Amino acid sequence: MLVRADGSTSGTIGGGAFEAMVAADAAELIARTDPRPAVARYAFTEEGDDALGMACGGSAEVLLEPAGGGARLVVFGAGHVGIALARLASTVGFQVEIVDDRPALCEAARAAGAGRVFACDGEFAEGVPDLDARCFVAVVTRCHRTDRLALRRVLGRPTRYVGLIGSRRKKTVIFRDLAEHDGVAPAELARVRCPIGLPLGGDTPEEIAVSIVAELLQIRHQERSRT
C-alpha cells in the first residue's frame, strides 16, 4: 500500500481500523525531517500494548519504508514546465507539491494528477505549504515578478535546494531586487541555483524537466554517499 504525505492511500492492506492506523503512522513517519524505515506492530485486541480496540485477536507487523528518502519537491509554477517537472519527479520518489496563484492552472494540475496542489494568493504569501529541511524547491513561474515573490517566500527557510529557471541576466535582475527591496541577505541568494538544472541543452518543457530532475538526483545521491 502506498501512503502519501497527506495520509491518502493507493492499494490496501485489508481496510478498517488497522489500515487507518497504518496510514496515520506512515504519514507521521513521512513528516519527520530524516525518515527511516521502521517496523510497526499492531495487536487486534481490545486492551494491551499496540491494541487497536478490536476483538478478533492476533497481531501484525508492518514495514513502513519511505520512498525517495522522504524528499519533497515543491514546484512554484503550474505551467508547462512545472507540470512536466512534477510528473517526472514523482516517478523517481519525490513527494511533489505544486504552488500557483492561478486557480484555473491549479485545477488543471489537480486533474493531471501531478501532485498535491496549493492555490496561493497573488503575493505567494498565503496558501503556500510549509518548507522544511526535506524540501527541494524549483521556482518555474511565469515571469520575473512571480519568480521574485516565490523566492522571497522560500529564502530564509531551511530547504535542501533552491533552483530558479531563467538566464543569468534574469538572475542578476531578480537578485538585485530581492537584495534592495526585500532585504534578502547575500548568503541566502548564494544558495539559489540559476540557471536551474544540469546543462543538457534541451529547451522543451519535458527536456527542461529532465535536466532539473537530473540535478536533484545528483544532489540526493551525493548527500547519501556522504552519510
Side-chain angles (χ1 to χ4, degrees), residues 1 3 7 9 13-29 40-45 50-54 60 62 64:
M1 181 174 72
V3 181
T9 62
I13 54 173
F18 168 53
E19 182 172 301
M21 182 63 71
V22 171
D25 288 346
E28 181 183 346
L29 180 72
R41 184 179 185 277
Y42 304 88
F44 303 128
T45 56
D50 308 314
L52 292 175
M54 302 169 67
V62 178
L64 305 176

Side-chain angles (χ1 to χ4, degrees), residues 144-223:
H144 286 46
R145 186 186 73 85
T146 51
D147 284 342
R148 173 192 161 202
L149 293 172
L151 281 174
R152 185 175 68 180
R153 173 72 184 201
V154 171
L155 295 176
R157 290 166 173 81
T159 55
R160 292 167 71 175
Y161 166 96
V162 182
L164 171 66
I165 196 170
S167 65
R168 288 178 174 81
R169 182 182 181 280
K170 174 182 177 179
K171 172 183 175 180
T172 299
V173 171
I174 291 178
F175 280 27
R176 180 195 64 207
D177 290 344
L178 286 167
E180 293 180 359
H181 301 295
D182 301 307
V184 177
E188 282 298 308
L189 294 174
R191 296 177 52 220
V192 182
R193 301 202 181 201
C194 182
I196 192 173
L198 298 182
L200 304 182
D203 57 7
T204 69
E206 292 75 18
E207 290 171 332
I208 294 170
V210 169
S211 74
I212 296 172
V213 171
E215 184 170 60
L216 301 183
L217 290 174
Q218 182 184 65
I219 293 168
R220 196 169 76 180
H221 290 306
Q222 286 173 345
E223 289 177 348

Side-chain angles (χ1 to χ4, degrees), residues 68-126:
R72 296 169 58 201
L73 173 61
V74 180
V75 180
F76 284 85
H80 297 303
V81 172
I83 295 301
L85 173 58
R87 285 174 168 162
L88 182 59
S90 66
T91 68
V92 291
F94 285 94
Q95 302 164 26
V96 179
E97 301 166 39
I98 303 173
V99 184
D100 204 289
D101 64 323
R102 295 166 290 181
L105 267 69
C106 288
E107 286 303 313
R110 290 190 183 98
R116 295 182 69 193
V117 180
F118 295 81
C120 67
D121 67 344
E123 296 296 312
F124 288 78
E126 302 293 333

Side-chain angles (χ1 to χ4, degrees), residues 6-17:
D6 62 358
S8 62
T9 62
S10 295
T12 182
I13 54 173

